[in-house]
Amino acid sequence: MKKDAKNQSNLLVELFQKKPLGAAGLIIMILFLLVAIFADVLAPYPMQSDMMQMDFLNTLIKSSPEHLLGTDSLGQDVLSYLIYGCRTSVILAIFCTVLSTIISVAIGLASAVLGGWFDLIVQRIVDGFQCIPGVLITMILMSIAGKGLPQLIIAIAIPGGIGGARVMRSAAFAVKDSGYVRMSKLLGSKSSWRAIKHILPNIMPLIIINMAGALSGVIMVEASMNFLGYGVKVGTPSWGYMITYQGRANMYTAPWLALYPGLCIMLLVFASNMFGDSVRDLLDPRLKGGVGSYNGNKIASIAKKIAAKREKLAQKA
């Protein structure tokens, strides 16, 4: 446990020292998370029976002391709507990412460990799912299950989890063929034991990288589903919902109704992408300057050392 905590602290130190954009992305994501947690405290106007407080006498106000970011066509405070919409987007992003990762890891590990006919059948099913656009699958699932945040989480997580199973399967196969896993099999260990004890810990960096990168995709899909009318229920604050039902209808008369939620989506997607790329660079051995590094200067220096050693051996001979 101490070793794991030390590795995590070292990763954070490297993130802030070597990857300032990734560190900034992490800070932004933490800020959004805090806004989502304390939305009831931060919002100027509270939610009332799953609806924002409406003021039909003050609609489409650009800015005022009472409404810093203005109001929409229903008189709802835009700043409060954005804050509560942050809660919806953050909850959706976290649950979708965790659920899709669990699905990917479960399918990938089972295919790699069991192999044979099971792997063949499962991968053909995965191939079939990948032939269909993920957005289309999500729309079909939402049409069957109906609108709502839980339904949207499941509808986004299932295609994402099945699509990411191939990556987990490839990583699990690479670890499965290592010597210590084979030795564990010769000693009579069960498939489930090898998967949990040996394979899963060794593909954990890849799992973390995929989770960090999937956050931005989930946010974009959520906004797209709301824009297409397959998102959350009417009255649930959401950035995508606001762009669809307020921003698009008042694009010329009140452009801020689309601008503010669009900026929030852009900022959160940018932060998650920067954080995901930075974590990948720090955890991937090929990007850290090892022998298998992608760094051309590192490869050139290794080649020079090898050439120098060969010249010395030739001179001695």
Side-chain angles (χ1 to χ4, degrees):
M1 294 296 292
K2 291 182 178 180
K3 187 176 180 181
D4 293 340
K6 186 177 180 181
N7 291 335
Q8 292 175 1
S9 63
N10 290 337
L11 179 63
L12 287 175
V13 171
E14 288 184 2
L15 180 66
F16 280 87
Q17 289 180 347
K18 300 179 180 179
K19 302 291 180 181
L21 278 178
L26 177 61
I27 293 172
I28 292 172
M29 291 170 63
I30 292 174
L31 290 176
F32 273 111
L33 179 61
L34 292 175
V35 170
I37 294 172
F38 299 104
D40 295 322
V41 178
L42 297 174
Y45 296 91
M47 293 282 291
Q48 296 178 351
S49 302
D50 297 330
M51 291 289 291
M52 289 291 301
Q53 182 177 344
M54 299 180 184
D55 184 4
F56 294 104
L57 298 178
N58 295 303
T59 60
L60 297 180
I61 296 175
K62 186 174 182 179
S63 180
S64 69
E66 294 80 14
H67 306 283
L68 295 178
L69 298 183
T71 60
D72 59 15
S73 59
L74 300 176
Q76 299 177 122
D77 183 64
V78 172
L79 178 58
S80 300
Y81 201 101
L82 291 176
I83 292 173
Y84 283 110
C86 178
R87 172 178 289 178
T88 303
S89 297
V90 169
I91 290 174
L92 189 81
I94 292 174
F95 279 90
C96 282
T97 302
V98 172
L99 184 57
S100 64
T101 302
I102 292 173
I103 294 172
S104 299
V105 172
I107 296 174
L109 279 179
S111 295
V113 173
L114 298 178
W117 285 103
F118 179 84
D119 178 42
L120 181 63
I121 294 172
V122 169
Q123 291 310 307
R124 296 299 74 79
I125 296 173
V126 172
D127 291 340
F129 264 91
Q130 289 184 326
C131 293
I132 307 172
V135 175
L136 181 59
I137 298 175
T138 303
M139 290 172 62
I140 293 172
L141 293 176
M142 288 299 295
S143 299
I144 296 172
K147 292 185 178 181
L149 187 59
Q151 295 90 325
L152 188 58
I153 290 172
I154 296 172
I156 295 176
I158 290 176
I162 295 175
R166 273 194 171 278
V167 178
M168 298 301 169
R169 173 181 174 271
S170 300
F173 259 116
V175 178
K176 178 188 175 183
D177 293 333
S178 57
Y180 58 89
V181 178
R182 292 183 177 182
M183 184 61 67
S184 178
K185 183 178 180 180
L186 292 174
L187 292 174
S189 64
K190 295 181 179 179
S191 300
S192 58
W193 172 263
R194 294 196 302 274
I196 297 173
K197 186 66 177 179
H198 299 297
I199 299 177
L200 184 59
N202 284 283
I203 65 172
M204 191 57 68
L206 180 63
I207 294 173
I208 296 172
I209 292 169
N210 282 355
M211 289 182 68
L215 285 170
S216 60
V218 169
I219 296 165
M220 293 300 294
V221 171
E222 183 265 341
S224 302
M225 286 297 102
N226 280 298
F227 188 80
L228 295 171
Y230 291 91
V232 296
K233 292 181 179 179
V234 177
T236 302
S238 169
W239 295 336
Y241 184 90
M242 187 176 186
I243 293 174
T244 303
Y245 294 98
Q246 293 289 343
R248 184 168 58 177
N250 302 282
M251 184 64 72
Y252 298 104
T253 57
W256 63 87
L257 296 179
L259 178 62
Y260 292 142
L263 288 175
C264 290
I265 293 173
M266 182 190 71
L267 186 59
L268 188 53
V269 170
F270 172 79
S272 59
N273 277 331
M274 290 299 100
F275 177 68
D277 290 345
S278 300
V279 171
R280 181 201 62 194
D281 294 346
L282 294 175
L283 292 179
D284 192 338
R286 295 171 296 181
L287 298 171
K288 293 181 69 175
V291 176
S293 174
Y294 296 127
N295 190 341
N297 296 329
K298 185 70 176 180
I299 295 174
S301 64
I302 293 173
K304 288 181 180 179
K305 289 180 181 179
I306 294 173
K309 288 183 179 179
R310 286 180 177 177
E311 289 181 3
K312 288 181 180 180
L313 291 174
Q315 291 176 359
K316 289 181 179 179

